[in-house]
Amino acid sequence: MAERPIFVPKPETNELVKEVFLRLIWSPGFAVVQKEKNIEALHQAANAAGYRRILEVSTKSDNKRGRHLSAFYLKARSIRGRDIPLECAFQGSKVFEGGGPFVDMYEMDVRKAKKDPRLKESGQLIAFEFEGTRWPLEPKTAFYDWLYTSCIYPHRGWAAKLFDYDGFSDIEFNPFRSVNCQARSIALFLSLMKRRELDEALESPESFIRVLQKSDYHPRLRSDDFSPRKLFAAKD
C-alpha cells in the first residue's frame, strides 16, 4: 500500500486548496506502465471518495491538458524575453550555503538540470533567486507556486476549462520527500482566479506572498506513521 494526495481547489474557503490523501495499491518501479497503473489506482481511489473527475498533471498523464500543465512543458518568461522551462527555472534558482543560483541550468535539458550534482553537493538550501528577486523559504512553496502561476497566467482563458475537474494529481509527487507539487499549484491558481485575487497576487513577489500569508494555505512535508520507510519499495 501507499498513500498519495489529490489537490482540490477550494476558493470558497480560506485554505484555498484541500489535500485529500488516499490509499492505493502501489506498483513499484520506474517503467511508464507502472506509473500508469499507479495513476489509475489513485484515480479509482479518488472516485470512491467522491471525486469523479481528476486530471493527472505530469508528463505521464494520458490527457494532453495534463501533459501541457507539467513543469517540464511550461515555460517561464525571463526579463530578457527568453523562455525557460519551468523546471529549469526552479532548479537553477536555488541558493545554497555553498553556491547558487546556478543560472546555467536555465539553458539545460530539463532532466539534466533536475539531476545536476550541485543540487546535492552545495549544502543547505537557504533561498531562491530568480531574475534578481530573492525569495525566502517561507511560506513554503511560495516561489514554486508563483513561478507556476506566472506561467499559466497568460493562458488563463484556456485554464478556465480546468474548473470542470474535481481535483488534480501528480503521480511523480511524493509528499513524504518533497513539498512543491505542480498539481497543488494548478489547484491554487484556480482558487485565486475564482476569488478574483489572481491579478493582485501576480503584481509582484511581495504581493504573492502577502496573498498567501493572509490565507490558511500552508503546505508542509508530510510526516507520520504511514511513511515510505514502512512501505514496500514505494519509490518515485
Side-chain angles (χ1 to χ4, degrees):
M1 296 290 290
E3 190 178 41
R4 290 293 183 271
I6 60 170
F7 300 92
V8 180
K10 300 293 287 185
E12 70 280 7
T13 73
N14 210 36
E15 66 179 333
L16 302 179
V17 177
K18 182 178 181 180
E19 300 186 13
V20 181
F21 284 86
L22 302 163
R23 293 191 178 189
L24 62 144
I25 297 176
W26 190 261
S27 298
F30 298 98
V32 173
V33 66
Q34 299 299 87
K35 303 286 187 179
E36 292 171 346
K37 288 179 182 178
N38 290 331
I39 292 170
E40 182 179 0
L42 177 57
H43 289 193
Q44 287 178 350
N47 188 279
Y51 300 94
R52 307 299 179 188
R53 294 200 69 197
I54 303 298
L55 179 66
E56 168 68 14
V57 179
S58 75
T59 58
K60 305 303 185 297
S61 181
D62 65 357
N63 188 304
K64 185 177 180 180
R65 288 179 182 174
R67 294 192 299 273
H68 283 190
L69 289 168
S70 165
F72 280 31
Y73 183 92
L74 290 173
K75 298 294 191 296
R77 177 60 60 91
S78 74
I79 57 177
R80 298 173 184 83
R82 293 182 302 161
D83 284 337
I84 305 168
L86 190 157
E87 188 67 31
C88 290
F90 177 68
Q91 299 297 343
S93 297
K94 291 179 176 179
V95 181
F96 300 90
E97 292 174 324
F102 303 115
V103 296
D104 58 300
M105 290 187 190
Y106 297 166
E107 310 295 334
M108 287 184 180
D109 171 79
V110 175
R111 288 172 175 80
K112 184 177 179 180
K114 194 169 183 178
K115 294 181 179 180
D116 192 290
R118 289 172 293 179
L119 298 174
K120 293 184 177 180
E121 298 171 355
S122 301
Q124 189 74 21
L125 181 69
I126 59 174
F128 295 93
E129 187 173 319
F130 182 69
E131 299 293 281
T133 298
R134 189 92 160 185
W135 287 79
L137 297 183
E138 294 288 346
K140 283 184 171 59
T141 79
F143 174 66
Y144 186 88
D145 286 334
W146 173 83
L147 197 59
Y148 193 97
T149 300
S150 298
C151 290
I152 298 294
Y153 184 78
H155 313 289
R156 56 196 178 281
W158 171 86
K161 300 175 184 178
L162 301 175
F163 284 119
D164 292 339
Y165 293 96
D166 295 328
F168 304 89
S169 64
D170 176 6
I171 207 62
E172 302 287 356
F173 174 66
N174 187 330
F176 298 95
R177 297 175 181 168
S178 58
V179 66
N180 296 290
C181 179
Q182 53 202 358
R184 184 197 291 116
S185 294
I186 190 61
L188 174 63
F189 177 93
L190 293 173
S191 286
L192 292 177
M193 185 160 66
K194 195 78 169 182
R195 291 163 67 100
R196 302 182 187 277
E197 294 180 345
L198 194 56
D199 289 342
E200 176 191 350
L202 291 178
E203 284 179 0
S204 67
E206 293 78 14
S207 293
F208 193 83
I209 290 175
R210 186 165 58 249
V211 167
L212 293 188
Q213 286 180 329
K214 71 180 183 181
S215 74
D216 293 325
Y217 178 77
H218 303 300
R220 287 289 182 268
L221 188 68
R222 189 165 172 83
S223 177
D224 59 22
D225 291 337
F226 199 73
S227 65
R229 291 187 297 275
K230 299 182 180 181
L231 303 177
F232 63 91
K235 297 180 180 180
D236 61 2

